[in-house]
């Protein structure tokens, strides 16, 4: 897997300035543009066996909104509220790599473990499931989920790195959505390589 990651932090990862796509698909993948705050998590994502996400930290929220050219005045608290409602609505295995701030704002979870996300400290939190596999990084967890589940949906997929790890672990189908249509373009390019 090549090293690409959509992040709000200045780091070794480049962000891509490409045209916007609303949907790209193939035999084993689907990526679509969708805004959690407007539409909730898309049915195509929730139809998967397990749901995953790496939501923004509070300090990156505005960066991602600017990249996606969001014009409303949404707040991080509103984002957390919508996300919490979606977790309760979906009621199936749901995993997220996140920070303490968001973890405290979401519904009570089934479990959590410390992990590394791009070398930094984070938490893997899950609902409606049990997990006792590897947990050194977000990528190792996604690979382990690929060994357990047939399909994974990621509602904030960025450049699809966790979904590709799920496939490497044995997962058969991946579905990603992101509100930034440039991410959808990059995901399509990565899948065609």
């Amino acid at each position: 897997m090549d090293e690409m990651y959509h992040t709000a932090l200045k780091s070794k990862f480049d962000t891509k300035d490409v045209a916007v796509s609303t949907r790209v698909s193939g035999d084993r993948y689907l990526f679509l543009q969708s805004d959690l705050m407007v539409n909730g998590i898309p049915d195509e994502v929730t139809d998967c066996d397990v749901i995953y996400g790496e939501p923004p930290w509070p300090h990156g929220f505005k960066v991602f909104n600017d990249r996606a050219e969001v014009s409303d005045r949404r707040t991080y608290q509103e984002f957390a509220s919508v996300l919490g409602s979606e977790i309760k609505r979906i009621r199936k295995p749901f995993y997220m790599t996140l920070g303490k701030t968001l973890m405290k704002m979401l519904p009570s979870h089934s479990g959590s473990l410390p992990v590394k996300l791009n070398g930094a400290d984070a938490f893997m939190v899950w609902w409606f499931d049990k997990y006792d596999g590897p947990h050194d990084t977000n990528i190792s967890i996604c690979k382990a989920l690929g060994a357990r589940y047939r399909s994974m949906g990621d509602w904030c997929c960025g450049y699809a790195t966790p979904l590709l790890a799920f496939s490497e672990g044995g997962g058969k189908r991946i579905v990603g959505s992101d509100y930034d249509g440039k991410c959808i373009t990059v995901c399509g390019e990565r899948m065609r390589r």
Side-chain angles (χ1 to χ4, degrees):
M1 179 168 40
D2 58 347
E3 227 179 65
M4 287 184 81
Y5 199 83
H6 193 234
T7 178
L9 301 174
K10 292 182 180 181
S11 68
K12 64 181 180 178
F13 302 105
D14 293 329
T15 55
K16 303 295 180 191
D17 189 16
V18 296
V20 168
S21 294
T22 57
R23 185 180 185 98
V24 295
S25 62
D27 290 341
R28 295 176 49 159
Y29 66 91
L30 167 65
F31 295 97
L32 55 134
Q33 184 180 21
S34 184
D35 187 341
L36 171 80
M37 300 287 291
V38 176
N39 306 311
I41 296 176
D43 291 342
E44 294 90 341
V45 171
T46 63
D47 287 344
C48 293
D49 300 328
V50 61
I51 313 302
Y52 181 80
E54 293 178 358
W57 266 243
H59 60 269
F61 189 64
K62 183 180 181 329
V63 173
F64 288 119
N65 288 338
D66 289 347
R67 284 186 197 155
E69 299 178 9
V70 169
S71 58
D72 61 22
R73 295 197 164 146
R74 57 186 63 181
T75 67
Y76 197 73
Q77 290 75 18
E78 291 167 334
F79 167 77
S81 177
V82 170
L83 180 55
S85 294
E86 287 294 282
I87 291 166
K88 290 188 227 177
R89 177 185 70 83
I90 294 165
R91 299 193 63 80
K92 64 182 353 179
F94 199 116
Y95 288 74
M96 283 195 289
T97 303
L98 45 67
K100 281 184 186 177
T101 300
L102 183 57
M103 185 170 30
K104 291 176 185 176
M105 300 168 84
L106 294 174
S108 187
H109 52 270
S110 302
S112 69
L113 289 167
V115 297
K116 292 291 186 184
L117 174 67
N118 299 322
D121 292 332
F123 292 91
M124 177 62 66
V125 180
W126 60 91
W127 293 260
F128 311 109
D129 204 10
K130 293 180 181 175
Y131 185 82
D132 62 359
H135 60 90
D136 53 323
T137 68
N138 61 317
I139 298 302
S140 67
I141 291 172
C142 289
K143 286 180 181 177
L145 292 174
R148 288 178 59 195
Y149 293 103
R150 179 170 167 59
S151 61
M152 184 165 89
D154 185 338
W155 56 274
C156 56
C157 68
Y159 294 159
T161 300
L163 289 168
L164 294 174
F166 175 82
S167 292
E168 283 183 17
K172 302 301 180 199
R173 179 157 174 78
I174 55 175
V175 179
S177 69
D178 202 288
Y179 69 150
D180 187 341
K182 291 175 272 206
C183 289
I184 303 309
T185 301
V186 172
C187 290
E189 290 172 357
R190 292 186 85 183
M191 296 307 293
R192 289 188 285 272
R193 288 184 190 161

